[in-house]
């Protein structure tokens, strides 16, 4: 057996290599970077501490607004601290800045609070969300004079932490995580949605908004058949969107089209995540984390069915491809022709899509791989124009 | 059945214009001078084509003569808002729905590569302002007059005619 320190020395180079890895180049198998193919980024198969995972990202916006990460190994800066896998999916809106910021800072904040508590808990995750929000708002305050548009950028934030036989799911926004569970007596795998979404299309979200803002009857408005908070945004929780959090950013020099009419005293959007904790069951096979770009084309059952019925290698890429085939069909064109559409224009056909499939393998069979599977990988590296910030 | 009648009428209107064109410019249809410069001939042909296009536009503006394009009828029952494709879309093309009023759109087939063109981008921005990214019938819906749309299509076609490499195609 390796001692803690030896182990850390052994895995350290892996960490560094993945963080500073070259973009988009083809590397030897087992590495911690992905590959790119046009607007698609993928990592067909990798190992995390409790199994394998597969990742894929397709870019639709001119600048990729979806960001994602898988971190596996120590979940705190202490050797004795919690150990497990962290998955983050950040679906930005209005620009890529907030999702990139969260991708770079949320996990280190989580590690900081986990070190303080020497444990993983819902409270640690919540504190990490709120600290990341505060840090981003101070970035907005700093850049406000030079670049006021930063106040109109935000991101949805979905986090999963697999640690000590538990799955923590924290969500602010409308990304989703679905669990595939093999039930006895049922053929195939059943889909269990673990995340709570905050999209105004749900009556419960609209009710929550009305109860939080009893004096504002127009807190949610139906516009072009879509429910939007203040007629602007579909999600009721997010990180960023400073102009909807603090009135000090809801004024000039921010362009009028990004502003809310009328003053407000209470923040309109909330950065606090909905957190749920699930005990891992031996029947639990895999988790599918994805931004809403996937779920607008696939149901939970369809996605779980695909993951159950096809080989692990490249499964995230298969889910993305299936979603794109459906998107092409809706727009009455061939999938092969959809691939000819440039980024930016692509947004009229589908959204940025991020998929992370995490397999939950029984601990005994993967002990050997677990020892060598500390990793840090970020989705979408090497896609065109993603290196601005 | 109605559709079919419209189809026949369209051809009659177009052939009527073709007939008029021949009567006033007999050189276009009947005989050609040996030393006739190809420049003026192509001008004449273009003129003929323009009249034909105009006749088609007139036909499609008048509901009774609607023919070349199929009208979208939104299905209020369908929850997803997905309308099944009326006819198979050939490779390299896609269907877009053009029109100004809700539920009264023309289905037009467009080469997919046109979508990347900046002129088309302006139409898409207009669509985004109107519908966001959720198009009511599933297909790409563009809120503009059909004549305006045809105009954009012709301009894009003219811009890339004869050139192999499209100047507006962004390098990937």
């Amino acid at each position: 057996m390796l001692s803690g320190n030896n182990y850390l020395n052994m895995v350290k180079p892996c960490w560094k290599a993945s963080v500073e890895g070259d973009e988009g180049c083809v590397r030897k198998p087992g590495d911690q970077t992905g590959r790119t193919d046009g607007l698609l980024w993928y990592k067909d198969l990798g190992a995390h501490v409790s199994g394998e995972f597969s990742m894929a990202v397709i870019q639709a916006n001119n600048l990729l607004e979806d960001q994602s990460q898988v971190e596996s190994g120590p979940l705190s800066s202490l050797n004795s601290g919690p150990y497990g896998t962290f998955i983050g999916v950040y679906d930005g809106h209005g620009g890529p800045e907030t999702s990139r910021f969260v991708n770079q800072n949320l996990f280190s904040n989580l590690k900081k609070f986990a070190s303080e508590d020497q444990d993983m808990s819902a409270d640690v995750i919540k504190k990490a969300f709120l600290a990341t929000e505060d840090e981003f708002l101070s970035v907005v305050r700093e850049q406000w004079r030079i670049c006021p548009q930063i106040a109109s950028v935000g991101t949805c934030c979905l986090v999963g932490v697999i640690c000590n036989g538990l799955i923590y799911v924290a969500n602010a926004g409308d990304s989703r995580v679905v669990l595939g569970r093999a039930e006895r007596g049922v053929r195939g795998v059943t889909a269990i949605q673990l995340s709570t979404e905050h999209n105004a299309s749900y009556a419960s979200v609209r009710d929550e908004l009305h109860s939080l803002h009893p004096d504002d009857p127009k807190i949610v408005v139906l516009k072009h058949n879509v429910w939007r908070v203040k007629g602007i945004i579909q999600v009721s929780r997010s990180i960023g969107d400073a102009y909807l959090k603090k009135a000090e950013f809801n004024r000039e020099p921010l362009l009028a089209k990004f502003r809310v009419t009328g003053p407000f005293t209470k923040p309109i959007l909330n950065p606090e995540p909905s957190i749920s904790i699930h005990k891992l069951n031996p029947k639990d096979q895999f988790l599918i984390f994805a931004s809403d770009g996937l779920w607008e084309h696939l149901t939970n059952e369809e996605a779980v069915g695909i993951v159950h019925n096809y080989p692990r290698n490249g499964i995230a890429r298969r889910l993305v491809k299936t979603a794109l085939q459906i998107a092409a069909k809706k727009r009455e064109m061939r999938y092969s022709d959809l691939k000819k559409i440039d980024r930016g224009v692509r947004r009229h056909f589908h959204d940025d899509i991020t998929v992370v499939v995490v397999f939950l393998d029984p601990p005994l069979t993967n002990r050997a791989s677990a020892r060598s599977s500390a990793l840090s990988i970020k989705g979408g590296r090497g896609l065109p124009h993603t290196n601005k910030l | 059945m109605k559709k079919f009648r419209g189809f026949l009428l369209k051809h009659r209107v177009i052939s009527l214009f073709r007939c008029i064109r021949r009567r006033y410019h007999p050189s276009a249809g009947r005989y050609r001078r040996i030393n006739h410069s190809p420049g003026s001939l192509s001008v004449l042909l273009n003129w003929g084509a323009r009249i034909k296009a105009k006749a088609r536009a007139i036909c499609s503006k008048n509901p009774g003569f609607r023919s070349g394009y199929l009208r979208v009828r939104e299905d209020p029952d369908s929850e997803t808002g997905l309308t099944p494709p009326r006819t198979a879309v050939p490779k390299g093309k896609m269907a877009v729905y053009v029109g100004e009023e809700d539920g009264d759109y023309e289905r037009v087939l467009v080469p997919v590569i046109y979508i990347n063109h900046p002129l088309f981008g302006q139409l898409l921005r207009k669509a985004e302002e109107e519908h966001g990214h959720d198009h009511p019938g599933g297909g790409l819906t563009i809120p503009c007059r059909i004549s305006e749309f045809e105009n954009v299509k012709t301009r894009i076609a003219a811009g890339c005619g004869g050139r192999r490499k499209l100047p507006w195609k962004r390098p990937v």
Side-chain angles (χ1 to χ4, degrees):
Chain A
M1 285 294 275
L2 291 162
S3 77
N5 257 344
N6 273 345
Y7 174 69
L8 210 71
N9 286 341
M10 196 176 83
V11 299
K12 225 168 194 171
C14 310
W15 278 75
K16 282 273 160 43
S18 72
V19 174
E20 295 156 13
D22 281 354
E23 263 96 357
C25 66
V26 179
R27 294 179 147 225
K28 60 183 187 300
D31 65 357
Q32 298 189 0
T33 56
R35 296 183 181 189
T36 55
D37 173 14
L39 297 175
L40 177 74
W41 176 96
Y42 59 94
K43 167 81 181 164
D44 276 345
L45 204 63
H48 66 103
V49 290
S50 47
E52 290 177 309
F53 73 95
S54 176
M55 257 174 121
V57 179
I58 185 89
Q59 178 174 1
N61 284 296
N62 195 25
L63 296 172
L64 180 70
E65 293 180 359
D66 269 18
Q67 300 290 325
S68 52
Q69 65 184 140
V70 174
E71 310 280 341
S72 184
L75 296 176
S76 74
S77 29
L78 306 166
N79 287 330
S80 56
Y83 198 80
T85 304
F86 172 98
I87 302 103
V89 171
Y90 318 116
D91 176 3
H93 46 254
E97 290 83 0
T98 321
S99 52
R100 287 179 189 173
F101 183 87
V102 172
N103 207 18
Q104 278 155 8
N105 295 284
L106 181 65
F107 183 59
S108 51
N109 278 328
L110 180 105
K111 278 173 47 173
K112 190 177 82 189
F113 291 113
S115 312
E116 280 174 16
D117 288 18
Q118 302 204 342
D119 197 12
M120 183 52 59
S121 66
D123 192 47
V124 164
I125 299 173
K126 188 177 142 187
K127 279 195 274 189
F129 267 70
L130 297 181
T132 310
E133 161 88 353
D134 283 346
E135 285 170 7
F136 186 73
L137 291 187
S138 46
V139 168
V140 173
R141 205 162 284 128
E142 272 168 34
Q143 298 197 0
W144 170 247
R145 288 276 151 226
I146 326 150
C147 175
Q149 256 60 275
I150 190 113
S152 69
V153 185
T155 187
C156 296
C157 206
L158 169 65
V159 160
V161 179
I162 306 165
C163 179
N164 298 332
L166 296 173
I167 309 171
Y168 299 83
V169 171
N171 194 27
D174 58 0
S175 300
R176 185 185 296 171
V177 53
V178 177
L179 169 74
R181 177 179 282 175
E183 298 276 15
R184 195 178 293 167
V186 182
R187 272 192 68 182
V189 171
T190 47
I192 302 164
Q193 187 174 319
L194 300 186
S195 53
T196 311
E197 284 141 51
H198 310 110
N199 188 303
S201 61
Y202 298 108
S204 57
V205 172
R206 295 198 294 275
D207 291 344
E208 185 191 56
L209 282 164
H210 281 299
S211 65
L212 286 170
H213 306 270
D215 44 350
D216 187 357
K218 284 189 172 173
I219 186 75
V220 268
V221 187
L222 189 64
K223 204 173 161 187
H224 301 309
N225 274 327
V226 181
W227 285 101
R228 288 172 192 275
V229 181
K230 294 302 271 178
I232 298 172
I233 186 166
Q234 281 177 266
V235 290
S236 67
R237 299 195 192 192
S238 74
I239 287 185
D241 295 307
Y243 74 122
L244 296 169
K245 303 266 177 67
K246 291 186 189 287
E248 60 179 296
F249 300 120
N250 185 37
R251 59 178 176 87
E252 282 179 346
L254 186 66
L255 293 178
K257 65 173 175 177
F258 295 118
R259 295 205 299 260
V260 191
T261 45
F264 60 90
T265 45
K266 246 194 256 173
I268 297 166
L269 299 187
N270 182 358
E272 199 173 300
S274 290
I275 303 182
S276 55
I277 306 169
H278 310 267
K279 202 168 181 308
L280 261 178
N281 186 305
K283 293 176 203 150
D284 295 343
Q285 309 271 299
F286 52 81
L287 294 159
I288 308 170
F289 293 82
S291 53
D292 69 324
L294 182 84
W295 305 114
E296 70 177 305
H297 300 302
L298 288 178
T299 63
N300 298 355
E301 288 71 24
E302 284 166 340
V304 163
I306 291 168
V307 177
H308 179 64
N309 290 318
Y310 289 94
R312 277 187 184 193
N313 197 344
I315 194 67
R317 191 147 54 103
R318 185 181 293 273
L319 283 171
V320 166
K321 187 182 172 185
T322 311
L324 294 189
Q325 282 168 332
I326 297 168
K329 206 172 172 185
K330 283 183 190 167
R331 293 287 188 260
E332 296 183 39
M333 69 197 300
R334 310 272 179 100
Y335 169 67
S336 58
D337 288 328
L338 177 66
K339 291 201 279 192
K340 294 178 195 156
I341 308 280
D342 293 340
R343 65 192 159 90
V345 185
R346 268 284 188 112
R347 185 61 188 86
H348 297 276
F349 295 77
H350 60 83
D351 199 353
D352 288 342
I353 302 177
T354 299
V355 179
V356 184
V357 181
V358 176
F359 292 95
L360 305 163
D361 299 326
L364 279 172
T365 57
N366 70 9
R367 180 140 297 167
S369 71
R371 284 296 162 205
S372 59
S373 56
L375 98 157
S376 165
I377 187 165
K378 293 204 160 69
R381 289 197 152 223
L383 284 174
H385 287 242
T386 55
N387 314 315
K388 213 174 127 197
L389 198 93
Chain B
M1 279 294 111
K2 252 184 187 171
K3 251 183 246 162
F4 190 57
R5 200 181 60 197
F7 188 76
L8 287 176
L9 278 170
K10 180 195 96 175
H11 278 272
R12 271 171 204 168
V13 173
I14 290 170
S15 52
L16 179 80
F17 273 101
R18 197 177 284 153
C19 200
I20 294 166
R21 185 185 122 209
R22 280 204 188 123
R23 186 168 295 170
Y24 288 102
H25 299 270
S27 64
R30 297 206 178 140
Y31 52 82
R32 214 181 276 169
R33 284 206 309 261
I34 295 167
N35 60 348
H36 193 273
S37 72
S40 61
L41 181 72
S42 67
V43 166
L44 258 161
L45 288 175
N46 276 346
W47 184 76
R50 274 211 305 276
I51 288 191
K52 243 163 80 184
K54 210 72 194 171
R56 195 171 282 153
I58 292 165
C59 284
S60 57
K61 253 183 211 165
N62 186 339
F65 292 84
R66 203 179 295 273
S67 55
Y69 309 108
L70 289 165
R71 193 194 300 207
V72 187
R73 282 188 218 290
E74 275 179 282
D75 187 2
D77 293 341
S78 95
E79 273 288 332
T80 53
L82 247 181
T83 46
R86 298 294 190 284
T87 51
V89 178
K91 201 171 177 205
K93 297 223 173 174
M94 69 169 291
V96 295
Y97 294 88
V98 186
E100 284 187 304
E101 284 163 58
D102 282 347
D104 188 19
Y105 299 111
E106 310 278 359
R107 183 175 188 264
V108 188
L109 290 183
V110 198
V112 164
I113 50 162
Y114 284 19
I115 312 286
N116 291 332
H117 195 283
L119 281 172
F120 212 99
Q122 288 173 12
L123 294 178
L124 288 173
R125 262 193 295 282
K126 222 161 128 181
E128 191 181 340
E129 283 163 21
E130 194 104 336
H131 311 288
H133 290 116
D134 298 318
H135 292 267
L140 208 58
T141 310
I142 293 168
C144 81
R145 283 199 310 278
I146 185 81
S147 56
E148 194 186 324
F149 181 80
E150 288 292 343
N151 181 20
V152 167
K153 232 176 108 177
T154 318
R155 279 167 68 193
I156 297 174
C160 59
R163 287 194 206 170
R164 287 209 118 218
K165 192 142 172 91
L166 306 170
W168 38 264
K169 185 101 174 72
R170 234 189 254 128
V172 180

